[in-house]
Amino acid sequence: MAETTYIDAIRRGLLEEMERDAAVFLMGQDIARFGGAFRATKGLYERFGRLRVVNTPLFESGAIGAALGAALAGKRPVVEMQFADFVSCGFNQIVNNLAKTYYRWEAEVPVVVRLPYGGGVGAGPFHSQSPEAWFAHTPGLAVVAPSTPRDAIGLMKSAIRDPNPVIYLEHRVLYRREKEDLGEGDLTTPLGRARIAREGSDVTVLTWGWTVHEALDAAAEAAKSGVSVEVVDLRTLVPLDEETVFAAAKKTGKIVVVHEATATAGYGAELVARLADLCFEHLDGPILRVAYPDRPSPYNKNLEKELLPGKAKILDAVRRLARY
Amino acid sequence: MTNQHDALLDLYRQMVLIRRFEEAAAKAYSQGKIGGFLHLYIGQEASAVGALSTLTRDDYVVGTYRDHGLALARGMSARSCMAEIYGKVTGCSQGLGGSMHFFDAERRMMGGYGIVGGHVPLAAGCAFAAKYRGSGEVALCFLGEGAVSIGDFHEAMSLAALWKLPLVTIVENNEYSMGTPLSRTMSVADSSTKALAYNMARDRFEAKDVLVVRERIGAAVERARRESLPTLIEVQTYRYRGHSMSDPGKYRTADEVEARKKDDCIANAERSLRALGAGDDVFARVDQEIEAAVDDAVRFADESAEPGEELIEAYTYA
């Protein structure tokens, strides 16, 4: 079987859901013939036509607002932001209108907002951010962040079927780097379920997105010096799979929370708080956090690389904690 | 030689600098010397050069992510611009911003902005400050035609008209917002008609002749300066390169691009200069000067140091 890349898995998820349900349609800037800024929707316009792969004018607020309206009227829109950073231009539509529609009226609004996010490509301060915490902070939104092609398709399909608005974070570095054989079938990944990416017994790393791979590399390295690391890929941040996360945390009692977003008030802080509250008696050391420093992303690629919470920084935290 | 000849030669030289500078940047990009994103202005030079030639040193300029031409026309050095594209500490934003984030407070180049449309209200704010002070400066704001759909654009126009701000807003219509032709993103072909809803003066013309650009923008700048009234202008132009370096340009034919190149603003300026008496020696001299300046900028950028972590610390908070 041919291997499928992360971005092709996203496309296959969109395609299969569009075939399954005529209510599903795509909106975004230049997503039709052009296939979107990263070519995620390439070929879908040719297959489904202009009523289901819809180019919008260049705006974010207008697109998300119109998606909400279409959802109220029975559609299941998937909206592409060119870059996750640009979603800030549609903030009101998400945090007020989209997130609070069901709360106000018990009206389901199954809108998926796709956010190509993350750094590592020298794209500078407006094109590199990891904005999951902006949305995890807002009740009424589900937030997912796949790290593998299997979960990229699985979470896409589940997000589209879910009755709630879902913020779908897709990491640009993984688009063409991550590949796997997906096989056939209806590949869903349930929302709210974490995945044990690697089993271990000494230290537990909790993470999602690009840093899952960095953590796995760090775990392989740590194993050489006899430190066994369990890596949990959260996959869904909201709702959090507390059962899996807490079990993995209690198993080792030593926890490192890793994320690419900046540290202060990042989603990691929420994890640390819950663990301190609900797993305190199982902890054998401080809960460490490896994240991006509280700084905007620099354009200079080498400097950016130094700041990203990659393998070396994770390994350092794991070793420090293992000594407790 | 006449004053007219000298004035046009100066504009011509600026346009050639922008083009050669960007050709060098594109080369460095394909050599992997620079990363991130690179949006070229090639083909549109008459717009920035003609428009900025109407300003005084104290006027404000605000632009988009396609900002190299604007920066050079505003007098920023080729060295600091190239070094920024290379991500070096000697760049105008110390290598932290890159191609889309040029800035020079001294020249009142108030920045290139990498998220479409968000900068237009900010230009209105510069114009407001000038009006409040009574200091007579004008703000010039550039955006692409795609940005006309963004709410921020309309909010800024609303404000500029209501408060009678000395703001000249220039929509550079290069026909494609990324890969989508204008007809698919806007219900009107002429974006300057948006001014009607705000009871604002408007203009629209082609940017093939840098002197025409200068004259028409100049009239709007004078209106802003003398009467404190805003103007919305659509400049019709065309970019020869892709939206960015990663754009293969499949949404238009090679024939279309070639046809547009035949009416090139630099070639047109050369023809006008020759009609005014300029000979081969004049153009050879300009080419030589510009080549030396661009080579110098590339060498400077190449040899400059990279920014270190301490810089990030220093520049996160005031």
Side-chain angles (χ1 to χ4, degrees):
Chain A
M1 280 293 287
E3 294 201 310
T4 303
T5 60
Y6 182 95
I7 194 166
D8 287 342
I10 291 170
R11 185 183 309 113
R12 181 175 151 191
L14 293 170
L15 187 148
E16 289 181 5
E17 289 307 294
M18 290 175 82
E19 285 190 330
R20 194 187 56 79
D21 182 352
V24 179
F25 76 102
L26 314 182
M27 291 172 78
Q29 296 161 24
D30 248 336
I31 64 165
R33 282 199 181 86
F34 199 79
F38 298 101
R39 311 298 186 270
T41 56
K42 196 170 161 245
L44 297 180
Y45 172 83
E46 287 74 9
R47 184 147 181 163
F48 295 102
R50 63 187 181 86
L51 288 178
R52 297 190 66 195
V53 182
V54 187
N55 268 352
T56 67
L58 210 165
F59 55 28
E60 288 78 17
S61 183
I64 298 166
L68 169 56
L72 280 169
K75 294 287 189 182
R76 303 186 95 84
V78 181
V79 188
E80 174 179 299
M81 296 287 107
Q82 271 193 6
F83 286 81
D85 314 65
F86 304 176
V87 76
S88 52
C89 303
F91 218 59
N92 175 51
Q93 293 298 351
I94 295 183
V95 303
N96 291 317
N97 290 342
L98 204 51
K100 295 170 180 63
T101 293
Y102 186 78
Y103 173 78
R104 291 186 299 159
W105 303 325
E106 280 185 65
E108 293 180 355
V109 280
V111 175
V112 178
V113 184
R114 289 182 39 227
L115 306 183
Y117 80 107
V121 294
F126 287 5
H127 297 74
S128 306
Q129 296 172 81
S130 297
E132 62 269 25
W134 299 352
F135 303 108
H137 185 66
T138 302
L141 303 171
V143 181
V144 304
S147 70
T148 63
R150 175 62 185 81
D151 286 329
I153 183 172
L155 287 170
M156 178 56 75
K157 290 167 83 84
S158 298
I160 290 171
R161 294 177 197 183
D162 197 84
N164 296 293
V166 180
I167 305 298
Y168 182 100
L169 290 132
E170 47 195 70
H171 202 291
R172 291 179 297 140
V173 167
L174 308 181
Y175 270 162
R176 289 172 174 84
R177 193 190 79 184
E178 293 305 312
K179 299 171 191 167
E180 63 184 298
D181 183 354
L182 292 180
E184 300 298 319
D186 185 24
L187 303 170
T188 59
T189 300
L191 300 190
R193 289 279 175 276
R195 172 180 75 98
I196 306 298
R198 179 187 173 110
E199 293 207 32
S201 52
D202 297 327
V203 176
T204 300
V205 175
L206 304 177
T207 190
W208 59 92
W210 171 74
T211 44
V212 168
H213 303 279
E214 298 297 310
L216 288 171
D217 288 350
E221 190 70 29
K224 292 178 192 165
S225 50
V227 178
S228 169
V229 179
E230 176 139 322
V231 178
V232 183
D233 177 358
L234 295 192
R235 305 197 292 194
T236 300
L237 308 187
V238 180
L240 179 66
D241 181 359
E242 288 195 338
E243 196 183 322
T244 305
V245 168
F246 290 170
K250 288 172 182 172
K251 184 175 170 188
T252 66
K254 295 178 178 177
I255 302 144
V256 183
V257 173
V258 180
H259 60 67
E260 185 181 330
T262 48
T264 297
Y267 188 72
E270 175 61 25
L271 289 175
V272 173
R274 289 201 206 184
L275 292 164
D277 184 2
L278 300 166
C279 301
F280 181 74
E281 282 161 15
H282 299 267
L283 298 179
D284 285 328
I287 307 172
L288 299 186
R289 192 164 48 145
V290 180
Y292 202 90
D294 288 335
R295 308 286 174 226
S297 195
Y299 167 72
N300 182 283
K301 218 172 164 175
N302 294 329
L303 180 54
E304 186 191 16
K305 224 167 259 170
E306 274 178 49
L307 300 174
L308 282 166
K311 175 186 163 186
K313 288 182 180 167
I314 299 168
L315 190 59
D316 185 55
V318 162
R319 285 186 171 144
R320 201 143 56 87
L321 197 53
R323 283 197 290 270
Y324 267 88
Chain B
M1 290 293 167
T2 62
N3 287 341
Q4 199 187 353
H5 169 279
D6 291 350
L8 180 56
L9 183 61
D10 178 49
L11 301 178
Y12 172 81
R13 186 184 286 114
Q14 291 182 48
M15 293 195 291
V16 175
L17 172 64
I18 294 170
R19 188 161 299 184
R20 296 288 110 77
F21 174 93
E22 287 205 318
E23 285 166 355
K27 188 174 159 199
Y29 188 94
S30 47
Q31 289 170 337
K33 294 209 172 210
I34 55 181
F37 300 94
L38 188 67
H39 306 85
L40 300 180
Y41 196 63
I42 291 175
Q44 303 183 202
E45 294 90 343
S47 172
V49 169
L52 267 55
S53 73
T54 67
L55 300 184
T56 69
R57 273 188 66 91
D58 293 332
D59 291 328
Y60 294 96
V61 177
V62 180
T64 71
Y65 50 88
R66 202 178 299 284
D67 58 2
H68 313 150
L70 215 53
L72 292 169
R74 195 54 179 156
M76 288 172 66
S77 79
R79 278 186 164 199
S80 78
C81 292
M82 191 63 84
E84 188 58 34
I85 295 177
Y86 270 67
K88 297 299 181 72
V89 73
T90 51
C92 58
S93 305
Q94 278 115 331
L96 303 180
S99 158
M100 297 187 273
H101 300 264
F102 284 8
F103 183 85
D104 187 338
E106 195 192 326
R107 290 177 177 79
R108 296 209 167 162
M109 161 67 183
M110 307 315 283
Y113 291 81
I115 298 182
V116 171
H119 63 295
V120 190
L122 186 156
C126 291
F128 172 76
K131 179 164 185 165
Y132 184 89
R133 284 196 301 260
S135 47
E137 301 103 326
V138 167
L140 214 59
C141 181
F142 288 78
L143 59 140
E145 84 285 351
V148 170
S149 297
I150 288 264
D152 282 321
F153 165 77
H154 295 276
E155 293 170 34
M157 294 303 100
S158 181
L159 195 68
L162 184 67
W163 290 354
K164 296 187 167 49
L165 298 178
L167 173 69
V168 178
T169 306
I170 301 170
V171 177
E172 293 183 293
N173 178 0
N174 63 18
E175 300 185 22
Y176 295 92
S177 63
M178 215 161 77
T180 301
L182 178 62
S183 61
R184 293 225 187 88
T185 65
M186 198 155 56
S187 58
V188 295
D190 174 359
S191 65
S192 77
T193 58
K194 305 286 181 186
L196 298 172
Y198 303 104
N199 194 25
M200 190 189 292
R202 68 189 175 106
D203 196 4
R204 185 194 200 206
F205 54 88
E206 292 184 338
K208 293 172 178 173
D209 180 340
V210 67
L211 292 176
V212 169
V213 177
R214 182 158 81 159
E215 187 195 326
R216 303 283 281 267
I217 303 276
V221 167
E222 281 309 291
R223 182 179 303 120
R225 206 181 305 284
R226 294 188 194 290
E227 303 171 55
S228 189
L229 288 174
T231 307
L232 176 63
I233 300 172
E234 178 178 292
V235 170
Q236 295 166 280
T237 182
Y238 196 80
R239 62 170 157 74
Y240 299 163
R241 304 296 187 98
H243 163 74
S244 71
M245 289 298 286
S246 60
D247 168 13
K250 285 183 182 158
Y251 45 85
R252 57 185 185 183
T253 63
D255 287 349
E256 178 186 314
V257 179
E258 285 313 306
R260 301 302 288 263
K261 282 184 181 170
K262 290 200 176 104
D263 206 358
D264 177 63
C265 59
I266 292 179
N268 289 344
E270 182 181 333
R271 256 194 304 280
S272 300
L273 280 166
R274 286 189 188 276
L276 291 168
D280 291 342
D281 57 318
V282 171
F283 298 105
R285 202 157 50 236
V286 170
D287 284 346
Q288 212 172 5
E289 280 170 29
I290 300 295
E291 195 185 324
V294 171
D295 285 351
D296 170 71
V298 169
R299 195 164 45 245
F300 175 76
D302 216 8
E303 291 169 358
S304 289
E306 303 206 15
E309 209 163 327
E310 71 290 347
L311 209 59
I312 298 268
E313 292 290 328
Y315 288 106
T316 300
Y317 297 106

